[in-house]
Amino acid sequence: METRFRTLKDIPLEEELVPGTMICAGCGGALLVRIFEKVLGSNVITVNAAGCMTMLSVFPFTPFKSSWFYVAMASAPAAAQGVRDALDILIKKNKIDSKDNLKVLVLTGDGAASGIGLQSTSAAIQRGLDFYYLVYDNEAFSNTGFQASESSPFASATKTTSPTETHEGVMSQKKDLFEIWRAHKPPYVATISPAFIKDMMQKIERSSQFKGPKLFIANSPCPPGWGIESDQVIRVANLAVETGIWPLKEAINGEVRHTWMQKRRPVEEYLKTQERFEHLFKPTRNDEIINQLQKRVDDYWSSVKK
Amino acid sequence: MKQLITGNAAVATAVKLCNVEYIPAYPITPQTEIIELLSRWINEEKMDAKFVTYDSEHSMISAAGAASLVGARTFTASSSQGLLYAFEMLYNVSGWRAPIVLANVSRAVASPITLEPDHNDVLAARDSGFLQIHAETCQEVLDSVIMAYKISEDNRVRLPVIVNLDGFYLSYTREPVDIPAQELVSQFLPEYKPVFGYLDGQNPISMGVTVLSSNAYSYFKYQLHLASLNALNVHEEISQQFEKLFGRKYGLVDEYMLDDADYVIVMTNSFATMGKAAINRLRGEGKKVGLLRIRMIRPFPKKIIAEKLAGKKAVGVIDQNISVGSGGILYPEITSALYHSNERPKSIISFIGGLGGKKISISEFRHILSTLETSFHVDKFPVQSVMLFTEDDWGSVKEMLKIAGKGEVSGN
Amino acid sequence: MITVSLFGRGGQGIKTASHIVGDAAFTSGNHVQDQPLYGAERRGAPISAYVRISQTPILERGKITNSSLVVIADDSLLDSIVDNPLQTVTDSTVIMINSSKGVSEIRTRYNINNVLAVLDLTKLTQDITHKSIPGVAVASTTCKLLGFEFDVIEKSLRAELKEIGIHQEDISRNVELARSCFNQTTHAKIETITKIKIKESPIIDPIYHHPQISTCTITATGNSRLRERGAWSNFKPVIDYEGCTKCMICYVYCPDSAFTIDVKGFPVVDYDACKGCNICKTECPTKVISLVRRENK
């Protein structure tokens, strides 16, 4: 399919979100939402699961030019189905003009997407709901101050997994939402990154040709949670991709294709940028854990078809 | 046209007559027959609506509220644990001011798990902002669903409604029900118009937004209360319109042999039918006893309850529910409604009966009356709720305890 | 009872400042309550913290609505409609403001007739600690106004900074900062709350409103623009257009829609919208964006 995003300069100049939100300075998730909404355009309803992005609209202010609907943490995809179905009913009955139809976007954090909201997400995919689903994956419950979620990476420090002499942070592996979703055989699944905006815009565009679930999981650096300066967000996101920790890929009708396949840098370069991995280097270097992290990434990539 | 149908079929029939457009569903006994019927009618193209099975009641109620806000008339149903599973969303949907109708087929709440009715499920939702209409007969079930849409979509109210019917005692019980003509129902209930206008690209709106201001929170929350209270008058008004078209009249409360009664038993839902039979029997024995059934539980009709019970010698409230550690749930509400009445009864006594669908026998009704009489004549008032449980009831439990390996249990 | 309200922004150390003040008051033998108040934690978002100090048990809780002493760690809050700290001020409230502006300018601009101290604590903090978190300077100044001894302040601040994991060398610099603030401030006469005239408001009986009004929705669109976020940072990005190649990287990566592209294709920063994350500066491939301290800070 011909893309309208051949270079970064093809980005739509219309802003769907105006400034003035309460979201943290330098929030990776906020950037993702801004770009996502730009590509989708103005006729959108954003159905928001409880999380950081809840803070986008706080009475009496909203940054949105289009509609927004805050639902509970567990059931945003279900509410999205209610919205979609009602729109379809009303369009069929000519109560809504089809030119005023809305695209439905569910916005959710990783805590909801991988845990309390996974059931309703799975059901929405299984029913074939025609919607976009964007997970801003900041790898913890950031809105409540950065506690471990099911998406927190191995060996990362969070407020509930403080590294000590006997603990190396999160002791379990990050849940693989991409594969969980792909197992449902939706038409479109992709990973995206705020450091790869052109890739992201092309993926949203590509997904839009499909009716049904269009699912995105986005690496979403969180300055206060990850312990990085806000200006480093894009750098860190870039390293996540270039070290192979955050593979950029898509699956169209289940067929996986990687959209970034270059020479990888050592994982260590990514880890060193963030305070949440500081305990792997200070006071003494923990080669065992660092090697484990590297091996996991290597194993992943060795299984990727060239 | 009268037909022999179950309470569940009465709900489904009313939903069809109301031209409901969207039905999010999730099965649970004893409600399931409602959604089975509706889905069948939709598949047979007897009904123009969309039916979607969700992954849980929590999701189901989320979707119901959402669809209603967008502009589709929406119905859903649940029961017991299902209603409790959806609990968070009940509060949300009322806060969204989404006028959905939910049929709750009452079933006692686990644990222990059981199937037959009491009202701990529906009364747990009493603070959620949903209006609650509790029905006694299959006819009342059908009529209440139709009235519920009219009340909930009225801009003086704009709150969701639960219509409650007892599992088994109504849900699976067939009795003759007069099914109104479609034209009359359509005349009574005009097309649904969402309060913010149909949600589309022309009408952007932010819904369900966070307020971080306690002042704003207080304002919005109290508005729900005012909206709910408005339903008292709106119900009366709509009830008159309903009577004009359909010939049946419903009040906020329903009374039986009340006028000249010295002693009154207060009940809700289908067990009131058994209460009426007991009144007949006791009247036959010369006892001046009557019954008051509360039909509208939210908003709670304090004024009319106080009026109806004024001047009585003593009142017994049967709560078919139990607030563990306190007693009957409705008892304190009724008592407080009477406190400032100059003619308040000398005593108001709390009884717990019908838990898990246990029938209330004539012995139990007789015990209620004698307790009321004693309280009036010799100033003896039980401090805690009185449990209605007979020797025979205990005998059967004792047998089961033995089989369950607990040996011979003494006491009682 | 003396009531102290501290106002600042997330990341400025306001919570810690309130703890230091609370500690110092407690060590000095008082009954104390201290409490930070923030919604969802956000760097740069307004936060407040409250300290109650009394010789008798404290029969109060929550947000302070009438302050003996108001401490404003960030003068940009004075321009805020919603979060304005002057809301808790009465005639006899003493006010301390961290600002680079002069006392008379602040008095005139915000119509303040109270006892007022204006100090540039941010500059002092930067000079001594090489960081711009003014919490300790705010705490020390507040303690001095309240009449606590420096020994007590030092002990409290060492304990509090250690608790939140500050390194030893940074603690030492902060002690130096605290001493400097202590020495340049004079003790003020702070009224106890019993002397403060409390503004009362009659009870109303709310009436029902149409659900279009009384449902918590926002029917306005894009109105968050009314909230200026420029005050979230001490620095702002300034573009040197000489070397700008119009690559649009800065525009693309801005999380806050703070850039627009002008007719000639150059990026333009909306400084009221910019939260100062500085992604644009870091990502600019030709390095033509520099950081300049904001004038009004």
Side-chain angles (χ1 to χ4, degrees), chain A residues 61-91:
Chain A
F61 298 105
T62 181
F64 284 94
K65 292 181 182 170
S66 53
S67 285
W68 191 76
F69 185 21
Y70 166 58
V71 188
M73 201 160 185
S75 59
Q81 177 93 50
V83 168
R84 179 71 268 151
D85 289 342
L87 286 168
D88 290 344
I89 289 165
L90 295 169
I91 287 167

Side-chain angles (χ1 to χ4, degrees), chain C residues 146-162:
Chain C
L146 291 165
F148 301 135
E149 300 297 329
F150 187 74
D151 292 354
V152 174
I153 302 169
E154 182 179 341
K155 208 173 136 226
S156 306
L157 94 85
R158 281 186 186 277
E160 289 297 335
L161 295 186
K162 189 160 176 258

